Amino acid sequence: MESKQLEKELVFVSKVSVTKSKKNGKEYITYRITVPIEKAKELELKNGDYLLVKAKKAKWYHLLNWEEMKNVYNMLPEEVKKEIDELNHK
């Protein structure tokens, strides 16, 4: 039986920066995302590597560390807690 190593899938919030440029009379927009260093190390990223990105616009509650605010987390609406838990693979 063959064993397969599963690809890592990590969830993190990233800030997007936009730059516009022109080349050969055409306009281009480049979107850049910042990968947290600990996530880059975990993925063993090297210069020139490609990432497969499943993107979703972050909401305010994605920006917080709920492990440090368990009492506040417990006061959140159930639908928000469900989304947070799904992102954290709980």
Side-chain angles (χ1 to χ4, degrees), residues 23-60:
K23 186 175 183 180
N24 298 330
K26 292 185 178 181
E27 288 188 11
Y28 293 91
I29 297 176
T30 303
Y31 294 90
R32 295 179 186 213
I33 62 170
T34 303
V35 178
I37 189 72
E38 66 274 3
K39 301 297 183 182
K41 286 180 181 177
E42 206 172 324
L43 288 167
E44 300 175 2
L45 292 179
K46 295 175 185 64
N47 187 35
D49 283 351
Y50 290 89
L51 291 175
L52 174 63
V53 178
K54 287 171 54 174
K56 173 177 167 175
K57 194 167 184 178
K59 296 180 180 150
W60 66 269

Side-chain angles (χ1 to χ4, degrees), residues 66-76:
W66 293 106
E67 292 295 320
E68 295 176 359
M69 301 184 300
K70 291 183 182 194
N71 289 335
V72 178
Y73 170 86
N74 291 330
M75 292 186 263
L76 292 171

Side-chain angles (χ1 to χ4, degrees), residues 8-23:
K8 286 186 179 182
E9 183 177 296
L10 302 176
V11 176
F12 57 89
V13 175
S14 179
K15 187 169 185 170
V16 176
S17 61
V18 179
T19 54
K20 295 179 182 181
S21 61
K22 272 190 174 181
K23 186 175 183 180

